[in-house]
Amino acid sequence: MAAGTASSASAQVRRLGWWRYAAVFGALPSPKAVPSKLDFGAEFVGPAWLRWSAGPSLALTALAGWCGKRFAQGQAVNLVRDRRGGAPRATLPMQSLLAPSTIDGRVVVRLQYPREAGVPWRWAVDELRPLGDGGWLGMMHLELPLLRRLHFPFLLTPMERA
């Protein structure tokens, strides 16, 4: 996954051990507002097994080619590229709001897919906190029993709108 320009805070979260992400996420400041009129490049972060398996796993879903998120007018959508690498297209809109985190109860930007998004996205929730350098650390989980506390990290870095 190509990401936008990243600085030190974003670079520091790229290769933490999986068990460290919840603590790092908990130490980040709560956002004051949902991002607006911004595009973000995305990359999977964390241990090698997660970075290597996430893309092929998404290839089996509506998020094949996932490369980022776009925020505009209180909404968020995922950005995906086809195999030819053309300009990203928007897909799978999400509700975006400030809400308590499932990790620590403090405020996050919560992105939730509508029920119509289908399996598994109808249960997926992204929680975001700013890194202070323009990047955001995201933690994805599924709103299902036993899986609600299992979070998968990703990094969003600002990029120019296509």
Side-chain angles (χ1 to χ4, degrees):
M1 302 265 151
T5 304
S7 64
S8 61
S10 295
Q12 290 175 2
V13 302
R14 281 201 167 89
R15 302 281 193 280
L16 296 173
W18 190 33
W19 62 93
R20 300 232 8 245
Y21 280 95
V24 168
F25 190 78
L28 293 173
S30 292
K32 304 287 187 229
V34 174
S36 180
K37 296 182 182 176
L38 289 170
D39 282 6
F40 291 95
E43 67 183 286
F44 301 106
V45 295
W49 67 265
L50 178 57
R51 292 186 323 250
W52 294 335
S53 66
S57 296
L58 287 181
L60 303 173
T61 75
L63 287 181
W66 182 65
C67 63
K69 293 191 184 288
R70 171 173 290 157
F71 290 83
Q73 302 167 347
Q75 293 286 331
V77 296
N78 287 287
L79 299 174
V80 296
R81 277 190 167 60
D82 63 21
R83 290 178 191 240
R84 292 171 294 209
R89 66 178 171 80
T91 188
L92 282 179
M94 301 161 280
Q95 176 187 19
S96 58
L97 64 145
L98 296 178
S101 171
T102 57
I103 294 173
D104 60 14
R106 293 180 34 245
V107 173
V108 294
V109 171
R110 180 182 172 101
L111 305 177
Q112 189 162 346
Y113 297 87
R115 186 166 181 78
E116 301 80 38
V119 175
W121 305 114
R122 67 188 317 163
W123 302 301
V125 173
D126 294 337
E127 296 184 4
L128 307 174
R129 284 209 177 119
L131 289 165
D133 62 1
W136 292 68
L137 179 59
M139 300 289 277
M140 190 281 292
H141 71 275
L142 298 175
E143 282 287 321
L144 293 170
L146 304 177
L147 296 178
R148 191 168 281 119
R149 299 265 179 222
L150 183 61
H151 293 84
F152 297 95
F154 60 94
L155 178 64
L156 297 177
T157 52
M159 65 180 198
E160 290 189 30
R161 192 162 273 195

